[in-house]
Amino acid sequence: MANNPNSLMATPTKTPSEKSASASSMSRKHNSARFEAYNRLQAAAVAFGEKVPIPEIVALGGQSDGKSSLLEALLGFRFNVREVEMGTRRPLILQMVHDPSAPDPRCRFQEEDSEEYGSPVVLASAIADIIKSRTEALLKKTKTAVSSKPIVMRAEYAHCPNLTIIDTPGFVLKAKKGEPETTPEEILDMVKSLASPPHRILLFLQQSSVEWCSSLWLDSIREIDPTFRRTIIVVSKFDNRLKEFSDRWEVDRYLSASGYLGDNTRPFFVALPKDKSTISNDEFRRQISQVDLEVLRHLRDGIKGGFDEEKFRPHIGFGCLRDYLESELHKRYKEAAPATLALLEQRCCEVTTELGKMESKIQATSDIAHLRRSAMLYAASISNHVGALIDGAADPAPEQWGKTTMEEQSQSGLGGWPGVTADIKPPNATLRLYGGAAFERVMHEFRCAAYSIECPPVSREKVANILLAHAGRGGGRGVTEAAAEIARAAARSWLAPLLDTACDRLAFVLGNLYDLALERNHSRDSEYGRKSEKMDGYVGFHAALRHAYNRFMKDLAKQCKQLVRHHLDSVTSPYSQVCYENEFQGGFGSSATSFYKSAGPFCVELTDGGSAAHDEIMRDQENIPPQRNGQQTTPGKGTEAREALRDSQMTVPETPSPDQPCDAILAGAKKDFGNGIDVGVRKRVSRLTGNSRNADHMRVQNGGGLLFGTGDGGLRSGSAYSEICSTAAHHFARIREVLVERSVASTLNSGFLTPCRDRLVLALGLDLFAVNDERFMDMFVAPGAIDVLQNERQSLQKRQKILQSCLNEFKSVARAL
């Protein structure tokens, strides 16, 4: 036979069957590579807590609805998972890998908090024990009844599909014995959180004996996926329901589930072997196939007219469900590959950046000069922000960071003003203020509180003791000195706690500025894209800086308390002339005017209601001194009062009495002066007693001794007791106004605000940086901190390596697609 020359040059060709087999083989190879890439990524995500939207199947259902039996059927072998209720308290991620070279299952568990897998588990019965022990150990450690941290098991087997399923705890109506009563709610919340991510496919199982209209858990699935767009519904134990059907229309209506699941939802109907005895893996798989055949045979032959096989056959039997799950998951893998690749590239860049920061932090622990410079600049920045907040700022938002007067009182732990029974409500009390505005509001509140206190009642015994003691020393000023001494004692007793409270409140207002300065510094850095000398991670330094700031404010409060106490001691000293002055610095009323000038902004009500609210406050607020006009004067300082005071000048007789009428006292004094008293002494007495000009006026105003009375009707309006009480009240008002207007306001401003502006950065610097290198580094390198940083770096390096490996795999998969 002659050879055909063309036959030698012919190119070999494949038959259609060979082409189909080759394409199928190539497809399976690509699917397998894609599946392995996702499995590795999933293991890394679990180990490192990465939030990667990997397509995953989540098995849901009530307890005893057949989830565990379905998992064993998918695996192709039994491991008695139901006996230990494997998935009831902790999720289980089952990574099934179809490996033709594994005639026996090879199962390995991923180590806790690691991407590494342990050694293979030889006995299938040991799988359930491992799951149980790991679950119990974690729940004991976390002291909880359930945990969302999954267990990862990889099963390589020749008879399982390439499939990954997350088995979740089964829904329960009542907690088991020994568990908290809230366990059912905790399980439901945890399962919902696992099923909520949109990249997860929901595999919901329900027993065939449960009607759709009475399903306990279908509504919970609807809350997660209202349209069942990503939900696969499986009716388990289908063989139990078959005997109820006799005609085709009955079974077709049941299989369609119309009216409950929607027209586009087709549930799967599955029955599995009921034989629980110990059998071989081959026998187990044979029984699964046998059950599928028996179900189909009953539908075809046991039902009159059969069933709509063209419509429902692809959804009946375990084999159909397994093939659908595998194909659906691989379809989702293929669709998600580009997005997954982009996300991996992003995460690799982020981890590389984190690793670079960690390297810099470790390197910085040996660069002390750089750390000092960065820390100093950061402390200076915080100090500048504090100064800006004091001078007036609206950043950050006062609505969020400011405080009302009531919030300041409660959060400072100081409450109201000591000794003040009136309800102190300064203007703008309901506005949220901070910084300099809040400081001025507290100052105004202090003034209101101080002016609400009047000279307290004095017993007759106290007056007698003071008055008689002065009489024993001679001279004619016993009544005046007694009134002055009573006023001094009352001022020391009642005004001192107010001064201390004012200092503490102001220190609290300024102390709050530290957090505001941090927020302001952070927001400014975010605006300009910088990182505040990279001081964010140094917890020890931030703690030391906050402590130094708080100590600075505490020292300021202590110093201011000493200063204002000194002023109080000065105006209440026996050598002070405050009680003997008729007017001081332009008249008594001028101080009140200056008070309103200094407090002017806070006499303008800025809360809702405008001037009407201000008028209401000024009308109802008795502790706010009234604004003065040409007709308003402080009691004891008007023309009428001064005329009355001239008529009530008196001297003290040789043996005075609190009940002796003032007329008798004056007569005795005149008699003594007429018997040869030196003119100089008379002038001195006249000068010293000149401060009692308003005695008659005050007596009339206060009703004599009845203002402080004990109910004794024997107190006459002209007695020395009532004279002393009314004069003491007048002296107390003078001391109070001199203290509040002349001393305290300027002292607190210069004692608090000036140091915060001028000395804060220096104080912080001395406290934090004027130390040797060893003490300075204690803020940055705590004992064992270097080891912690190095461990974090190793973890980041491992994460970077795993993610980079996953990225390379996905790039290969993408090229193959």
Side-chain angles (χ1 to χ4, degrees):
M1 180 183 295
N3 292 330
N4 187 352
N6 293 330
S7 64
L8 297 177
M9 303 297 295
T11 302
T13 60
K14 293 183 179 181
T15 64
S17 61
E18 290 176 335
K19 291 181 180 180
S20 176
S22 176
S24 177
S25 175
M26 184 66 68
S27 176
R28 283 196 301 271
K29 183 177 180 181
H30 289 164
N31 286 344
S32 178
R34 191 184 308 118
F35 184 78
E36 280 297 322
Y38 272 108
N39 272 355
R40 284 175 55 82
L41 181 58
Q42 188 177 51
V46 172
F48 297 114
E50 293 283 351
K51 301 297 183 182
V52 182
I54 304 171
E56 296 164 322
I57 298 176
V58 182
L60 315 169
Q63 206 164 29
S64 303
D65 277 347
K67 288 194 293 89
S68 301
S69 298
L70 179 63
L71 291 179
E72 288 184 335
L74 290 170
L75 284 168
F77 65 93
R78 280 179 171 169
F79 51 91
N80 300 323
V81 66
R82 296 174 307 282
E83 295 181 6
V84 295
E85 295 179 340
M86 169 194 64
T88 56
R89 298 300 175 263
R90 190 176 173 188
L92 173 70
I93 298 179
L94 280 175
Q95 296 178 339
M96 308 175 204
V97 180
H98 176 70
D99 186 356
S101 66
D104 296 319
R106 293 194 301 261
C107 299
R108 293 181 297 162
F109 284 89
Q110 184 177 341
E111 299 295 341
E112 301 278 15
D113 303 318
S114 171
E115 82 284 0
E116 301 294 336
Y117 288 86
S119 56
V121 179
V122 178
L123 298 176
S125 59
I127 294 174
D129 296 333
I130 294 174
I131 293 171
K132 181 179 180 181
S133 62
R134 287 198 176 192
T135 300
E136 291 177 349
L138 180 64
L139 296 183
K140 183 178 180 181
K141 180 180 178 181
T142 58
K143 298 179 180 179
T144 55
V146 296
S147 174
S148 60
K149 185 177 182 180
I151 298 172
V152 181
M153 187 183 87
R154 178 183 175 91
E156 301 169 356
Y157 193 27
H159 301 285
C160 73
N162 285 320
L163 194 64
T164 296
I165 291 184
I166 302 176
D167 182 34
T168 62
F171 301 131
V172 293
L173 294 175
K174 187 177 180 181
K176 293 192 302 184
K177 185 178 180 180
E179 290 184 335
E181 292 296 325
T182 58
T183 299
E185 290 78 14
E186 292 180 18
I187 291 176
L188 183 60
D189 292 341
M190 184 189 73
V191 172
K192 284 183 176 180
S193 67
L194 289 172
S196 294
H199 61 271
R200 286 180 171 166
I201 305 169
L202 310 187
L203 182 65
F204 173 61
L205 277 77
Q206 179 173 278
Q207 295 187 45
S208 62
S209 58
V210 178
E211 299 294 340
W212 295 115
C213 59
S214 58
S215 175
L216 293 175
W217 310 116
L218 190 61
D219 289 339
S220 299
I221 302 302
R222 275 200 176 96
E223 292 178 10
I224 303 171
D225 184 20
T227 61
F228 300 125
R229 184 182 58 83
R230 55 187 182 94
T231 300
I232 301 171
I233 297 178
V234 177
V235 179
S236 62
K237 304 178 184 180
F238 181 50
D239 51 338
N240 294 338
R241 191 67 183 261
L242 284 176
K243 54 189 176 184
E244 299 180 10
F245 305 127
S246 58
D247 294 328
R248 174 170 178 156
W249 69 268
E250 294 177 327
V251 69
D252 284 351
R253 185 178 65 175
Y254 177 78
L255 295 177
S256 65
S258 60
Y260 297 101
L261 304 180
D263 296 336
N264 298 324
T265 303
R266 292 284 182 268
F268 284 85
F269 300 88
V270 175
L272 294 171
K274 291 182 170 58
D275 183 9
K276 306 303 180 185
S277 61
T278 303
I279 56 177
S280 66
N281 294 335
D282 292 338
E283 178 62 19
F284 176 57
R285 293 191 301 274
R286 191 195 68 77
Q287 290 184 2
I288 293 174
S289 300
Q290 184 65 29
V291 170
D292 279 354
L293 292 175
E294 291 176 357
V295 168
L296 285 174
R297 185 181 300 114
H298 181 84
L299 288 172
R300 289 167 178 163
D301 303 333
I303 304 295
K304 185 179 179 180
F307 72 107
D308 191 342
E309 193 163 346
E310 181 180 356
K311 184 176 181 180
F312 298 116
R313 174 64 184 88
H315 292 81
I316 294 177
F318 168 77
C320 293
L321 174 63
R322 180 190 59 191
D323 294 342
Y324 178 81
L325 290 177
E326 188 174 12
S327 63
E328 183 68 15
L329 187 61
H330 282 284
K331 185 181 77 171
R332 298 291 183 94
Y333 280 167
K334 185 174 181 179
E335 293 173 352
T340 304
L341 181 62
L343 181 63
L344 278 173
E345 290 179 339
Q346 176 185 342
R347 288 298 298 134
C348 284
C349 293
E350 291 173 353
V351 171
T352 301
T353 302
E354 291 179 27
L355 187 59
K357 291 180 179 179
M358 186 60 63
E359 294 284 1
S360 300
K361 190 176 293 186
I362 293 175
Q363 184 180 1
T365 56
S366 59
D367 191 353
I368 300 177
H370 175 75
L371 270 180
R372 281 186 179 273
R373 176 183 177 277
S374 299
M376 288 179 179
L377 290 175
Y378 187 86
S381 177
I382 295 298
S383 300
N384 290 337
H385 286 304
V386 170
L389 291 167
I390 289 174
D391 292 337
D395 175 32
E399 297 83 1
Q400 178 182 356
W401 294 88
K403 300 183 189 304
T404 64
T405 295
M406 185 174 295
E407 289 173 343
E408 286 179 3
Q409 291 175 349
S410 61
Q411 294 179 20
S412 64
L414 299 172
W417 295 90
V420 177
T421 58
D423 187 15
I424 305 299
K425 291 182 179 179
N428 306 312
T430 59
L431 294 183
R432 296 185 176 276
L433 306 178
Y434 58 64
F439 186 96
E440 293 301 326
R441 183 174 63 186
V442 172
M443 290 293 298
H444 188 76
E445 187 182 353
F446 162 72
R447 291 185 176 98
C448 294
Y451 280 108
S452 71
I453 294 180
E454 301 294 341
C455 187
V458 185
S459 67
R460 302 169 66 83
E461 286 76 9
K462 288 183 179 179
V463 173
N465 273 276
I466 298 173
L467 188 60
L468 296 175
H470 280 290
R473 294 199 296 268
R477 54 177 183 169
V479 173
T480 301
E481 288 297 337
E485 183 58 34
I486 291 171
R488 294 188 193 105
R492 285 192 293 267
S493 175
W494 290 87
L495 296 181
L498 290 184
L499 295 173
D500 289 345
T501 301
C503 292
D504 291 334
R505 280 282 303 280
L506 294 174
F508 174 77
V509 167
L510 295 178
N512 287 335
L513 296 186
Y514 182 82
D515 289 325
L516 276 77
L518 289 181
E519 176 65 20
R520 186 181 171 92
N521 190 63
H522 177 73
S523 61
R524 294 296 174 87
D525 289 343
S526 300
E527 289 177 9
Y528 298 106
R530 58 192 186 199
K531 276 293 179 183
S532 291
E533 298 299 327
K534 299 179 181 179
M535 303 301 292
D536 292 345
Y538 297 111
V539 178
F541 167 73
H542 284 284
L545 181 60
R546 181 183 292 271
H547 177 70
Y549 181 87
N550 291 338
R551 183 163 53 190
F552 178 76
M553 291 303 167
K554 187 176 179 180
D555 290 343
L556 287 186
K558 183 178 179 180
Q559 294 169 10
C560 287
K561 285 181 181 180
Q562 293 174 348
L563 288 173
V564 294
R565 281 296 187 100
H566 172 72
H567 289 301
L568 178 62
D569 293 341
S570 297
V571 297
T572 58
S573 169
Y575 303 102
S576 173
Q577 296 299 309
V578 171
C579 293
Y580 309 121
E581 294 178 358
N582 289 328
E583 296 177 352
F584 44 84
Q585 291 191 1
F588 192 75
S590 64
S591 291
T593 303
S594 66
F595 159 65
Y596 278 98
K597 289 179 180 179
S598 62
F602 284 89
C603 291
V604 178
E605 177 61 49
L606 299 177
T607 54
D608 291 342
S611 59
H614 172 70
D615 294 340
E616 182 68 21
I617 291 176
M618 298 305 291
R619 180 167 59 253
D620 296 339
Q621 187 62 55
E622 297 179 357
N623 50 45
I624 298 180
Q627 296 189 15
R628 306 178 189 278
N629 53 35
Q631 302 298 323
Q632 293 176 320
T633 58
T634 302
K637 301 185 183 76
T639 305
E640 298 85 351
R642 285 196 289 270
E643 292 299 327
L645 285 175
R646 292 194 186 96
D647 296 337
S648 64
Q649 293 177 358
M650 65 180 180
T651 57
V652 181
E654 295 180 358
T655 308
S657 169
D659 292 327
Q660 186 170 356
C662 293
D663 297 339
I665 295 175
L666 291 173
K670 292 177 181 178
K671 180 179 180 181
D672 288 342
F673 288 136
N675 291 333
I677 299 296
D678 186 83
V679 175
V681 175
R682 184 180 300 114
K683 290 182 179 179
R684 176 172 175 267
V685 171
S686 176
R687 182 172 62 251
L688 291 176
T689 58
N691 63 82
S692 300
R693 297 175 188 172
N694 64 342
D696 292 340
H697 174 78
M698 297 297 288
R699 185 188 309 121
V700 173
Q701 178 180 336
N702 295 326
L706 294 178
L707 178 62
F708 312 97
T710 60
D712 187 357
L715 295 180
R716 295 181 299 276
S717 62
S719 69
Y721 173 73
S722 60
E723 194 75 34
I724 290 173
C725 289
S726 60
T727 307
H730 176 66
H731 290 338
F732 179 86
R734 285 192 171 187
I735 293 173
R736 178 183 61 190
E737 187 158 355
V738 170
L739 181 69
V740 172
E741 306 305 333
R742 286 188 179 181
S743 306
V744 172
S746 59
T747 298
L748 293 181
N749 272 279
S750 61
F752 275 111
L753 300 185
T754 302
C756 286
R757 294 187 183 101
D758 301 340
R759 298 200 336 255
L760 176 59
V761 64
L762 178 61
L764 297 179
L766 290 174
D767 204 354
L768 298 177
F769 311 125
V771 294
N772 58 33
D773 289 346
E774 183 178 357
R775 285 193 58 191
F776 174 77
M777 291 303 294
D778 287 343
M779 294 186 292
F780 299 90
V781 185
I786 294 295
D787 295 336
V788 172
L789 292 177
Q790 290 177 345
N791 290 336
E792 291 181 7
R793 178 176 61 182
Q794 292 177 359
S795 177
L796 284 173
Q797 289 173 340
K798 187 178 293 186
R799 179 182 297 188
Q800 183 189 42
K801 181 179 178 181
I802 292 295
L803 289 177
Q804 189 63 47
S805 175
C806 291
L807 177 61
N808 294 335
E809 283 190 73
F810 269 90
K811 286 182 176 179
S812 300
V813 170
R815 284 194 294 268
L817 294 176

